[in-house]
Amino acid sequence: MQERVLKVLEFTKIKEHLLEHVSSSLGKEKAISLKPLTNLEEVMKAQEETDEAVKVLRLKGNVPLSGIFDIRPHIKRAVIGGMLSPQELTQVGSTIHASRQMRRFIEDLTEEEIEIPILAQLSLEMIPLVELHEAIRMAIDENGEVLDSASDALRTLRNQLRTRESRVREKLESMIRSSNAQKMLSDAIITIRNDRFVIPVKQEYRGHYGGIIHDQSSSGQTLFIEPQTIVQLNNELQGIRVKEQQEIERILIELSAQVGEYHAELDVIVKVLSDLDFMFAKARYGKKIKATKPKMNDEGRISLFKARHPLISADEVVPNDIMLGKNYSTIVITGPNTGGKTVTLKTVGLCTLMAQSGLQIPALDGSEMAVFGSVFADIGDEQSIEQSLSTFSSHMVNIVDILNHVSYDSLVLFDELGAGTDPGEGAALAISILDEVYKCGARVIATTHYPELKAYGYNREGVMNASVEFDVETLSPTYRLLMGVPGRSNAFEISKRLGLKEAVIDTARTHVSADSNQVENMIASLEESKRQAEVERDEANELLKQAEKLHKDLQKQVMEYYEQKDELEEKAKEKASDIIESAKKEAEQIIKELRKLRIEKQAEVKEHELIDARKRLEDATPILSKKKKKNVQNTQKHSFQPGDEVKVLTFGQVGSLIKKSADKEWHVQIGILKMKVSEEDMEFIKSPKAVETKPVATVKGKDFHVKLELDLRGERFEDALSRVEKYIDDALLAGYPRVSIIHGKGTGALRQGVQEYLKNHRSVKNFRFGDAGEGGTGITVVELK
């Protein structure tokens, strides 16, 4: 991509806003160097990375990315044997700690079965380096100070230092508390000069204490003297300090050597943290501008729904639908100045650059963007005083460069094409330039004032006219883009609204050709027709939504009816089975008593009589049937006719006969449902005197019940997929718009197998995991076409 184009389309400002969301200098470096990619696979991967980061932010709200530093210079110096400072080692330790926190955070997400494969893979690349982190943490504190615990030798030396300092202070304090001290000292304090303890002595008493003079006040009246009695103690202190410094250097060199040993692992940590910081910066910026992930293609198709310019305030920007590359490859936008034509150009250009950079775009979900090999833009006033070029000349320099480099995979944006010169010649040039770019197969959006280009879209296949709407009543643009409608001049209407005399306007109309008037009237008619079509479309959409809601409610009621019916049948069977079992037990008890009676009382009860009694009890046991008995008598006696009122025995519902089908079954209307029923399953009720035949609403259905969910838990993999295949077919026949498949969480193999099958099923529109209240990742909700 040309740097000039990135600047003209204000992509540099997008990067400036992105910089506000980075957490470290590593992320800042990546944001500054961000450029659009031109390979579809690379763009899709960048979009997936951003989408995963967006998912994590949506679920968790924040990410532990603090404490990250650019430690690459420290690593290089450690590799060649250099000694790192305590502050540099602290930064190394902090960065390792941040990597461990981030790895633990991502591992927790994967344990919750949140699908983040890219983040999971990145976290695995980071080696924890626990030993190095602990070594640095035990030796240096957060402020970069080497701790006593860094080594036993350092702890001993510092204990000695504290002991010696205490003795020196005691001696000096006894001096400054003496009776003569008030007279000889400028102030009764102990201070330090050149790392040695001293006291402030007045100039005239310099010889009283002896020792060494280290400094004097600016007036020369006070001397900072190290008394002779503590010189030796200070010397001992100084010696211990030298040893302390040597021990600190030894510790730092040892830690630096460890950093050098792990240079490869640290380089990976820096790279991964840089990538993660950048990914979440993109996600946070996308959240700020309410962006969505676009579908990507390399076929030049752009479908933007309610797209907004990302640099215009959300309170002011007007969203627009913009389509390009499917039925037409060129859009010519006409309309008044300050109407939003240039904003439309920049919106398309910026959304393209953002999408190809892995950024989400400010448009509704479902928008689609193309990956272009190059983006060209000729926008704005390009007048160059330095090169002595007029506005027209500067534009032509840019256009010549575009024509020399444009290809089939280019997006070209022309603002006021052909402007700045004679209108006739400018319009002719604009048409010729558009034809030349069109021949290359590039995607083009051009804005213009020339009326000749309004006809261009009607005379060329693959070219679409568009305009920005202008409200004559308020004399202001609405900034709405009207696809398929060229812009028209509103000069006469505006002049009239501003008070110009009607006579002057009428005279002006006579100077306009009949063809121009006809074109203007046609455009006005198109605008009115488009507005009316939009109103009717909105009304139709509203009616469609209501109808779909009603249809879903009815389906839900039918499903609830079937489920309740099955439940009642099951309860009835269980109750009947309990009664039968109880009867059998009672019969067995009676038989036992009879036998006992025969043995004890010598009653005349024969064994074969007992057997006959048991047989009669068993014969008396009712046999349960899943289906109700048909009322054969009624169906045989009556000859059914259209309009008859009948009872469908299977469902226990009353309906009316519509017509008899070729397979000798009847179409029966039950409420809003229409179904096919055999004569054996119907009971005649009555025939109406007169039947008015009216169209009836139909609902897809089957003559058997299909549940709204399929439970695969405990199934083998092959058996489960076989059941899924049959269930989807049954659900389609039943006309269900949405079903649920319960596969459980487990190892995830069954879930993955089910979703792989759904991906390739031609009748599956979409699928997703269940919400928290639906079963989460243990259930897949499937939308059917």
Side-chain angles (χ1 to χ4, degrees), residues 288-534:
K288 179 182 178 182
I289 63 173
K290 297 180 180 178
T292 62
K293 175 189 173 186
K295 299 175 184 176
M296 302 303 303
N297 68 80
D298 57 358
E299 299 170 0
R301 292 192 312 276
I302 294 176
S303 299
L304 287 169
F305 303 111
K306 302 300 179 186
R308 311 178 305 278
H309 193 292
L311 299 176
I312 299 178
S313 169
D315 299 331
E316 300 174 3
V317 69
V318 176
N320 279 304
D321 295 339
I322 306 168
M323 311 295 168
L324 179 65
K326 187 175 181 181
N327 299 320
Y328 46 87
S329 62
T330 302
I331 300 176
V332 178
I333 307 175
T334 51
N337 282 332
T338 68
K341 300 193 302 296
T342 304
V343 170
T344 301
L345 282 185
K346 288 189 174 182
T347 299
V348 175
L350 262 183
C351 285
T352 298
L353 297 178
M354 290 172 70
Q356 291 186 215
S357 302
L359 296 169
Q360 296 189 344
I361 60 173
L364 292 185
D365 199 19
S367 296
E368 187 173 9
M369 296 301 299
V371 176
F372 294 102
S374 52
V375 177
F376 300 102
D378 179 55
I379 298 175
D381 188 355
E382 298 286 343
Q383 186 175 25
S384 174
I385 298 173
E386 293 85 356
Q387 300 178 26
S388 300
L389 296 176
S390 66
T391 301
F392 176 75
S393 299
S394 293
H395 278 295
M396 287 312 301
V397 168
N398 292 335
I399 291 169
V400 169
D401 181 63
I402 291 171
L403 294 180
N404 287 336
H405 295 93
V406 71
S407 62
Y408 71 95
D409 65 342
S410 299
L411 173 65
V412 185
L413 307 172
F414 290 122
D415 189 27
E416 299 299 342
L417 184 59
T421 186
D422 176 74
E425 293 180 354
L429 266 176
I431 292 172
S432 179
I433 291 167
L434 286 176
D435 281 340
E436 183 66 22
V437 178
Y438 178 80
K439 289 176 187 176
C440 296
R443 302 297 185 261
V444 185
I445 304 179
T447 68
T448 182
H449 273 108
Y450 295 133
E452 290 85 353
L453 267 72
K454 296 176 184 178
Y456 181 81
Y458 294 107
N459 299 331
R460 303 290 195 286
E461 186 179 354
V463 180
M464 173 63 72
N465 274 318
S467 60
V468 284
E469 190 178 51
F470 189 87
D471 190 341
V472 179
E473 297 297 323
T474 61
L475 302 181
S476 62
T478 65
Y479 303 104
R480 289 182 63 240
L481 184 68
L482 304 176
M483 297 297 295
V485 180
R488 64 189 181 98
S489 171
N490 296 292
F492 294 153
E493 288 82 354
I494 294 172
S495 300
K496 185 177 180 180
R497 295 278 300 174
L498 293 175
L500 189 63
K501 292 180 180 178
E502 190 72 35
V504 176
I505 295 173
D506 290 341
T507 303
R509 291 184 193 276
T510 62
H511 295 299
V512 179
S513 66
D515 289 342
S516 295
N517 276 326
Q518 189 175 1
V519 168
E520 290 297 318
N521 291 335
M522 178 190 71
I523 293 173
S525 176
L526 280 172
E527 287 181 351
E528 181 59 33
S529 298
K530 184 173 179 66
R531 276 193 290 267
Q532 183 62 30
E534 287 177 349

Side-chain angles (χ1 to χ4, degrees), residues 526-582:
L526 280 172
E527 287 181 351
E528 181 59 33
S529 298
K530 184 173 179 66
R531 276 193 290 267
Q532 183 62 30
E534 287 177 349
V535 171
E536 292 175 356
R537 181 195 63 192
D538 292 342
E539 291 175 353
N541 285 337
E542 186 61 32
L543 289 174
L544 179 61
K545 288 179 183 176
Q546 293 176 5
E548 287 177 345
K549 184 177 183 300
L550 177 62
H551 180 65
K552 288 178 182 177
D553 290 343
L554 292 173
Q555 280 190 324
K556 183 180 177 182
Q557 290 176 15
V558 171
M559 292 305 103
E560 288 175 351
Y561 162 73
Y562 280 127
E563 289 174 0
Q564 188 177 12
K565 175 176 172 289
D566 290 345
E567 186 179 345
L568 291 173
E569 283 183 356
E570 192 65 30
K571 286 182 179 178
K573 289 176 185 177
E574 290 176 1
K575 188 174 182 181
S577 178
D578 291 342
I579 293 171
I580 293 168
E581 190 64 30
S582 176

